[in-house]
């Protein structure tokens, strides 16, 4: 009996990601053989041929079969075949032509796309259907996405600049998941010819690299949307002597709208950067200008009222981008801070609404709908400020945001992958969040069991779902007895300095023991699953490192807590206990130094050297503090007792973070 689904795959069919809108199972199957051709229509263009090559190569990878690509005017007497068709050669009614139809019968497979992207998406679904016996179960799929824009925004400015090979791999993952947007968040990591000082020591991307990536992405039906910071988060540029005079205040965080040269600089940057991209979109960012109207623009702010300088600035930025045929996007945080001024926003701006914790009023986007402003929802992978992503938080954040976007008419869903404080979170940890976002951007909720199998199969060729379960199990362990906003407690322990021990002093032994047991179990399962990662052993090694770092963070928290206790009550430890504790801290220092070397080696497999020293300095400070603590124990010379813990309020946490980051 045929079955259909939205959010759950029929039992007789493999689970797919994203889950199709309409899928029906039929009796029988289609058998792949070397004699079965991939047949293009006579009017097929280069995009169709590229899609046929992707299908041919995917079959070769999954089944070891070499399938020919042919073109025929008539197909009625060809025998068993796979036909690739397009509904029309005219531009599709929707922006991308993402809809597709797939029919699998005993003697024929037919794939039809409403546009070139839709045909490629049909191929990606077909590849997921192929069984280990080279058979494709008979079925009918009619599919289309909920959101027009579905994508990933990757931070390439907080320390890590990926290689072109890595960025192309990211495009490959996007098209496999039916994501059609990629943004690279850039503050300073582009090589400007007119302003060569910007990003000089950060392995910046250059014009040729971005142009090549733009071409590669377009061939894979992924729109590379330019993203360049244009207001807050300008510290990398404003710290340079040539541009320091453009800062709003001495914080050198926000570029000042009160300085005429600000717009000359932005005009220069846009003129060199935006022509590299065929996309008609531009993300100017303009988020978190914390000191705006607190310095040079204060007088103008008094004239325009709170939020007025911001509105004036984004409109000028929009006009600069228009010269290059771009429509501007900005983040929505400042707009929400001044809801009384939403009506003044020009309707040709698109707002990107972000928030990264699971517990939130995501329906706040109705403000945009009520004011006829287009918007996209932007949840996150919860991978930054973590050794491994906070998977549970990310999944809930994405699911709830996507549903709010559906209710209120969002243009799209863009999942964000930031790199706060050095981007030591490695790429392999983010694949699960990307796939979950792809699922929710395309068709909404899916059962966890089906999703796990589909994710593991689509990205790694693991039909058992084991890899997804590894992600979930490892990503669920972050507890150290205290909670910190937008971050994992374990990474704070990992980088903490025992001189103050702010985070270690807040950890609770029982919670650390519990987390250690869970991670040890997850570690064993990850080792057993290594072969299932197939040809992506790099991702396995990245996850393995994250587990080892997390276990060391727990051990450091346990030993560090004993060390801080000794500083408060020196007589609590006798000589043998001090020697054992000193040996444990010395071993921790040695292990953390070794993990730092592993991190750098893995970093360089996907990225340029860029600003690895941002993370390197934090690691070195931790290692030094462990060694100093060991020496103090060996000499029985306890440093002064740490101050009473001030708690984990936002201001105290931020101050501790700035202290560690400034080392």
């Amino acid at each position: 009996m045929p079955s259909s689904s939205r959010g759950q795959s029929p039992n007789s069919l493999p689970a797919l990601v994203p889950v199709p809108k309409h899928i029906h199972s039929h009796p029988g199957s289609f058998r792949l053989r070397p004699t079965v051709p991939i047949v293009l229509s006579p009017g097929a263009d280069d995009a169709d041929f590229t899609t046929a090559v992707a299908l041919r190569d995917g079959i070769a990878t999954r089944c070891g079969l070499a399938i020919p690509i042919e073109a025929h005017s008539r197909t009625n007497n060809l025998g068993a075949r796979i036909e690739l068709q397009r509904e029309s050669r005219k531009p599709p009614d929707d922006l991308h032509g993402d809809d597709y139809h797939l029919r699998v019968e005993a003697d024929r497979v037919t794939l039809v796309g409403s546009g070139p992207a839709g045909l490629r998406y049909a191929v990606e679904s077909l590849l997921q259907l192929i069984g280990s016996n080279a058979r494709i179960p008979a079925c009918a799929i009619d599919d289309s996405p909920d959101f027009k824009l579905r994508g990933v925004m990757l931070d390439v400015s907080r320390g890590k600049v990926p290689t072109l090979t890595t960025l192309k791999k990211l495009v490959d993952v996007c098209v496999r998941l039916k994501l059609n947007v990629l943004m690279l968040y850039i503050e300073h990591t582009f090589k400007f010819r007119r302003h060569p000082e910007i990003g000089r020591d950060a392995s910046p991307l250059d014009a040729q690299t971005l142009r090549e990536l733009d071409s590669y992405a377009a061939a894979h039906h992924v729109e590379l949307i330019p993203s360049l910071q244009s207001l807050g988060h300008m510290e990398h540029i404003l710290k340079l002597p040539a541009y320091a005079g453009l800062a709003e205040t001495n914080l050198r965080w926000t570029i000042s709208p009160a300085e005429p040269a600000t717009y000359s600089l932005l005009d220069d940057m846009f003129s060199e950067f935006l022509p590299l991209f065929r996309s008609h979109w531009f993300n100017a960012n303009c988020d978190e200008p914390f000191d705006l109207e607190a310095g040079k623009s204060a007088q103008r702010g008094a004239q325009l009222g709170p939020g007025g300088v911001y509105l004036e600035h984004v409109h000028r930025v929009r006009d600069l981008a228009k010269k290059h045929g771009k429509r501007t996007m900005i983040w929505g945080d400042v707009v929400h801070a001044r809801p009384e001024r939403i009506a003044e926003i020009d309707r040709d701006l698109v707002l990107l609404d972000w928030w990264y914790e699971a517990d939130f009023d995501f329906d706040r986007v109705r403000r945009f709908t009520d004011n006829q402003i287009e918007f996209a929802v932007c949840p996150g992978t919860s991978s930054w400020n973590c050794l491994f992503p906070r998977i549970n938080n990310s999944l809930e954040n994405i699911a709830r945001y996507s549903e709010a976007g559906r209710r209120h008419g969002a243009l799209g869903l863009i999942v964000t992958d930031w790199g706060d404080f050095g981007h030591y979170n490695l790429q392999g940890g983010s694949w699960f969040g990307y796939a979950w976002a792809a699922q929710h951007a395309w068709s909404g909720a899916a059962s966890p069991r089906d999703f796990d199998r589909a994710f593991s199969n689509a990205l790694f060729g693991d039909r058992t779902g084991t890899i997804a379960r590894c992600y979930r199990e490892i990503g669920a362990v972050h507890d150290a007895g205290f909670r910190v906003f937008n971050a994992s407690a374990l990474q704070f322990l990992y980088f903490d300095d025992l001189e103050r021990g702010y985070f270690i002093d807040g950890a609770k032994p029982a919670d650390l023991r519990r987390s250690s047991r869970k991670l040890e179990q997850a570690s064993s399962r990850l080792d057993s699953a290594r072969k299932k990662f197939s040809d992506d052993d790099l991702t396995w090694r990245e996850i393995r490192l994250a587990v080892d770092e997390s276990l060391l963070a727990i051990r450091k928290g346990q030993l560090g807590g004993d060390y801080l206790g000794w500083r408060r009550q020196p007589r609590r430890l006798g000589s043998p206990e001090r020697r054992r504790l000193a040996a444990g801290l010395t071993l921790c220092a040695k292990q953390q130094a070794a993990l730092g070397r592993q991190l750098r080696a893995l970093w360089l497999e996907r990225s340029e050297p860029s600003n690895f020293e941002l993370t390197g300095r934090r690691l070195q400070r931790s290692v030094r503090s462990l060694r100093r603590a060991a020496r103090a124990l060996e000499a029985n010379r306890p440093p002064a007792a740490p101050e009473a813990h001030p708690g984990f309020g936002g201001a105290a946490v931020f101050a501790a973070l700035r202290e560690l980051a400034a080392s």
Side-chain angles (χ1 to χ4, degrees), residues 289-331:
F290 299 125
D291 54 341
L292 187 64
E293 299 184 17
K296 294 177 180 177
S297 67
Q299 182 177 354
R300 184 62 174 162
Q303 295 171 348
L304 297 175
V309 171
Y310 180 82
L311 287 171
E312 193 171 67
H313 176 77
V314 297
H315 293 159
R316 293 190 69 174
V317 166
R318 173 210 58 194
D319 291 343
L320 290 176
K322 270 186 179 178
K323 296 196 307 184
H324 306 282
K326 307 299 185 188
R327 184 179 177 191
T328 300
M329 300 169 158
I330 58 172
W331 297 108

Side-chain angles (χ1 to χ4, degrees), residues 427-504:
Q427 184 64 60
S430 294
W431 299 138
F432 198 78
Y434 293 177
W436 187 257
Q439 170 60 53
H440 281 267
W442 187 274
S443 58
S447 78
R449 181 175 178 273
D450 280 353
F451 175 82
D452 287 357
R453 290 187 174 184
F455 163 78
S456 302
N457 181 30
L459 266 61
F460 302 98
D462 166 30
R463 295 179 173 88
T464 68
T466 299
I467 290 177
R469 288 192 290 275
C470 287
Y471 272 88
R472 287 185 186 271
E473 191 171 7
I474 297 165
V477 184
H478 297 279
D479 188 19
F482 62 89
R483 292 177 63 88
V484 181
F485 178 76
N486 197 29
S488 165
L490 295 186
Q491 70 87 22
F492 287 128
L493 297 183
Y494 191 67
F495 289 109
D496 205 5
D497 187 332
L498 268 69
E499 182 175 341
R500 182 182 180 196
Y502 172 80
F503 295 104
I504 289 172

Side-chain angles (χ1 to χ4, degrees), residues 479-480 482 490 493-494 496 498 503-518 520 550-566 572-573 580-581 584-585 588 591 626 633:
D479 188 19
F482 62 89
L490 295 186
L493 297 183
Y494 191 67
D496 205 5
L498 268 69
F503 295 104
I504 289 172
D505 204 19
K508 294 181 172 56
D511 295 279
L512 292 175
R513 288 193 297 271
R514 214 166 18 246
S515 290
S516 180
R517 287 194 299 270
K518 291 177 180 178
E520 290 288 359
S550 299
L551 286 168
L552 183 68
I554 292 170
R555 185 61 177 152
K556 177 182 172 183
Q558 292 169 327
L559 296 173
D562 291 341
Y563 171 71
L564 295 179
W566 171 69
R572 67 181 289 178
L573 297 181
R580 282 196 294 271
L581 182 55
L585 291 169
C588 267
Q591 291 172 334
L626 287 164
L633 284 159

